[in-house]
Amino acid sequence: MDFGVVLQTDPPAREVVRLMRQAEDRGFRYGWTFDSCVLWQEPFVIYSQILAATSVMTVGPMVTSPGTRDWSVLASLFATLNDMFGNRTVCGIGRGDSAHRVVGKPPSTLATVRESMHVVKELAEGREVTLGGRAVRIPWVRNGRLEMWMAGYGPKALKLAGEHADGFILQCADPAIARWTIGSVREAARAAGRDPAGITVCVAAPAYVGDDVPHQRAQLRWFGGMVGNHVADLVARYGESGPVPHELTDYIAGRQGYDYAHHGRAGNPSADFVPDEIVDRFCLLGPASAHVERLQELAALGVDQFSVYLMHDQREQTLAAYGEEIIGKLTT
């Protein structure tokens, strides 16, 4: 199993770079950031600094969206970084949540996600596409490579990931939900004539190593609120008795809205509705041994990478614990 770390690009940017360098030293191979340019600093500027400060780390957004950047610009950003640092980027992409909603946009349609994945990948790898009714190619790309990893929860999104994405991102560490989503992606891949094993599976969730579980829950409750934004859309589309597992949908009954001013942050008041059970299921808490046990369960389900959302008050201690007590047990 590979390991990644997910950060917000809060200023100062040098602190993001420092933590990413520390993560690589601890054995993390992927460095991800949020991508909501109104809420945080511009990640692609910071990626250049992270890549310069690390040796092998692959970087990318978790996740970008088709509606906040021109697709040719997005492809050129990735292609430029890859040309400078040797194909060390990956594109996590989804329909768009915070980046869209804070500027008054709805999430993109899945048809738009599908088209954008194709266009961005083709351009970033130096091939020609039709864009705006004309043939377009980035002429300076040589030996470019860019994998497109799609995030999603609903049946249609999982089907699209299985049919077209290079990787699948599940932002939730609940084994029951992982089993359903991974199975759906693989089934769609098989039906499309693709090799299901060729799709990288990444689970991303907050992790906090320590013994004070009540404090850890309080620090990580924000994640249930963030996931709830997507779940609310699914319930609105499919209904409470639809095909989405109740493990993912039941808990949002008490949801009363969401303030993006606190998005992804410990103490988010919009996450007060999230019960302890959901924090325990969606996140990794407790001593290192509990993390190892959950990660082994996820690995058995086919998870190739676990990425740690590191938004709590013991970031460096958790990085150290993963490097000293956890990563080695999942990578040997």
Side-chain angles (χ1 to χ4, degrees), residues 50-126:
I50 295 170
L51 289 165
T54 57
S55 301
V56 298
M57 178 174 276
T58 295
V59 306
M62 188 176 281
V63 294
T64 194
S65 71
T68 52
R69 301 176 189 275
D70 180 273
W71 300 350
S72 63
V73 173
L74 188 58
S76 184
L77 287 167
F78 281 112
T80 300
L81 291 172
N82 283 338
D83 186 67
M84 293 172 67
F85 297 102
N87 287 333
R88 289 170 55 200
T89 69
V90 58
C91 180
I93 193 166
R95 294 180 60 218
D97 179 35
S98 59
H100 282 224
R101 299 188 200 270
V102 297
V103 294
K105 290 185 176 183
S108 298
T109 66
L110 289 176
T112 299
V113 174
R114 174 183 174 178
E115 184 181 1
S116 69
M117 286 198 299
H118 171 73
V119 168
V120 172
K121 182 180 179 70
E122 294 298 292
L123 287 177
E125 294 187 347

Side-chain angles (χ1 to χ4, degrees), residues 210-226:
D211 297 319
D212 189 348
V213 172
H215 176 73
Q216 293 175 350
R217 287 176 179 146
Q219 285 283 300
L220 304 185
R221 201 172 306 277
W222 64 265
F223 186 65
M226 187 180 85

Side-chain angles (χ1 to χ4, degrees), residues 6-8 34 206 219-220 222 264-266 309-313 315:
V6 189
L7 299 176
Q8 293 169 335
F34 283 48
Q219 285 283 300
L220 304 185
W222 64 265
R265 298 189 186 280
Y309 280 100
L310 207 62
M311 293 86 189
H312 55 69
D313 60 1
R315 299 190 299 178

